[in-house]
Amino acid sequence: MALARTGRAARAVAGWCAALALAVLPAGPALAAGPALAAGPASVGTAVSIRSADSADSTGIGTVAALAAPAGPSVQLAEKEAGKGGTVTVTGRGWRPKALLTLLICGQNMIGGTNSCANGDGRAVTTDAHGAFRTGIPVAEPPKPCPCVVHVATVTGEAAAADAAFTVAGHPVAPLPEESTGGRLTVLAPPRLEGGSGLLTWFGAPAQRQLTFTVGNLGPEPARDPVFQVGTAHGVFAPKWEDQQWRGTVPGGKKAEIKLPVELAAGAHGDYLVSLKYGGKVLAEQPWGVGRPWGVTLFWVLLCLVVPTAVFRAGMAVVDRLRPRRTAPGRPRTPASATGKRTGKSSGKGPGKRTGKGARRGTGQGARRGGPAAGSGTPDDTAALPWFTPDTAPSTTSTTTSTERPTSKGST
């Protein structure tokens, strides 16, 4: 009996000690698990509720991870209101490390996109290694009336944005535009750019793609032939919007896949951002990297090489045509004289007589051919004169001069 009472007393003391320890200890990960712990342990029932919470999550890892995980990019302002010409300090956390951000003051809660912002007075900042930043932005009046926001968005990489309410003192205020009574469309999946570049794009033709995305109609009424706005922006510049109407109907509570053409200017290259807007709201953004048209560079290189070469060749041809021609000294200019020497000048000196260069040339040709020399007095001389027939050929005695010796055979 005494032992039983002693055991019950020990258990009671242990329970009170546990409750007292929980009341004294600071709130840790396990204490932050449930609302019952925040009130502090007042009785054993509180300890029981603690055990039940611990039994649901014995380690508390899931709850702590959920509380410690960042909810996404955030922006805080040092001042909620300032007048034109002042400066407001902006602090951000939860962004990508080393990310380039733009800060703009926009009217109408930026419903109309960056067209509602004071783009000329915006600022750019790069986050640190922990994804945080702190900078100042000059207060300017946006083109649209308030309610205004300070809009922070990434420039490159994965799209991320955050807004913080801000009031520009002295700027007009107007109610937000009413939501259309038609279908309310929203993008259900990240958009994608389909298609490729051809050979002409390599030579500077406009790059073309198809923006494919899936939308869902959140309203009860169908959306018939909705008009979207597709914008393309290069670097930190504002997008250029173009209205495009999709032919079709999206029933209420249904979804549909939509494809819209996107085209850039001729010769465009670099990093572009394609934006989709409907009903004054930006629904999605998709980066697009366009390669450089190297064919244009190759064309200019070839042009710089070919044109000077062609000009040089044309100039040399003109110089060659205008330059006087030179002839060898002592060489006859007309073919008639050469013909007279070759025929032995039969018209004035007889058909068989050759003098000067003509005789020497005939002798040399005969020696080269291996036959008897011309004017040697042999009967074979008639073979060297094809314009005479055997009956009319002159005799060797009549054609031999006094200075020429007869052959060993004698004359016939």
Side-chain angles (χ1 to χ4, degrees), residues 20 47 117 122 143 146 173 198 212 273 288 322 384-385 401:
L20 183 61
C117 305
C146 286
V173 180
T212 304
L273 184 65
W288 182 10
L322 296 178
L385 303 175
T401 61

Side-chain angles (χ1 to χ4, degrees), residues 24-271:
V24 174
L25 292 175
L31 298 179
L37 300 181
S43 61
V44 179
T46 306
V48 173
S49 64
I50 294 173
R51 295 192 191 98
S52 63
D54 290 342
S55 63
D57 188 1
S58 59
T59 60
I61 295 177
T63 305
V64 174
L67 295 176
S74 60
V75 177
Q76 294 84 27
L77 304 179
E79 300 85 11
K80 297 295 183 182
E81 182 177 356
K84 181 181 179 181
T87 303
V88 58
T89 302
V90 185
T91 306
R93 293 184 179 85
W95 299 86
R96 288 197 323 270
K98 304 299 181 181
L100 180 61
L101 309 177
T102 56
L103 293 82
L104 300 171
I105 297 179
C106 308
Q108 292 288 285
N109 288 348
M110 202 189 168
I111 293 179
T114 54
N115 292 334
S116 305
C117 305
N119 297 307
D121 298 299
R123 290 293 182 269
V125 66
T126 303
T127 59
D128 56 16
H130 303 285
F133 71 91
R134 180 184 178 85
T135 186
I137 179 174
V139 180
E141 294 185 353
K144 297 293 182 69
C146 286
C148 302
V149 295
V150 175
H151 177 73
V152 183
T154 56
V155 177
T156 58
E158 184 180 356
D163 298 334
F166 182 71
T167 301
V168 180
H171 193 62
V173 180
L176 297 176
E178 297 182 358
E179 202 169 321
S180 60
T181 57
R184 293 180 299 168
L185 300 181
T186 183
V187 176
L188 303 179
R192 61 186 184 276
L193 292 172
E194 296 180 349
S197 300
L199 181 62
L200 295 179
T201 306
W202 201 67
F203 285 93
Q208 298 178 350
R209 293 290 188 276
Q210 271 196 339
L211 181 63
T212 304
F213 56 95
T214 303
V215 298
N217 189 354
L218 304 180
E221 300 182 5
R224 296 183 177 88
D225 299 336
V227 178
F228 296 91
Q229 286 184 306
V230 179
T232 54
H234 181 51
V236 297
F237 296 99
K240 298 179 180 179
W241 300 99
E242 180 182 358
D243 294 340
Q244 295 189 13
Q245 186 175 17
W246 180 71
R247 299 293 181 180
T249 302
V250 184
K254 302 295 183 179
K255 62 180 181 179
E257 185 180 62
I258 299 177
K259 295 183 178 181
L260 299 176
V262 182
E263 182 176 344
L264 300 179
H269 61 277
D271 295 330

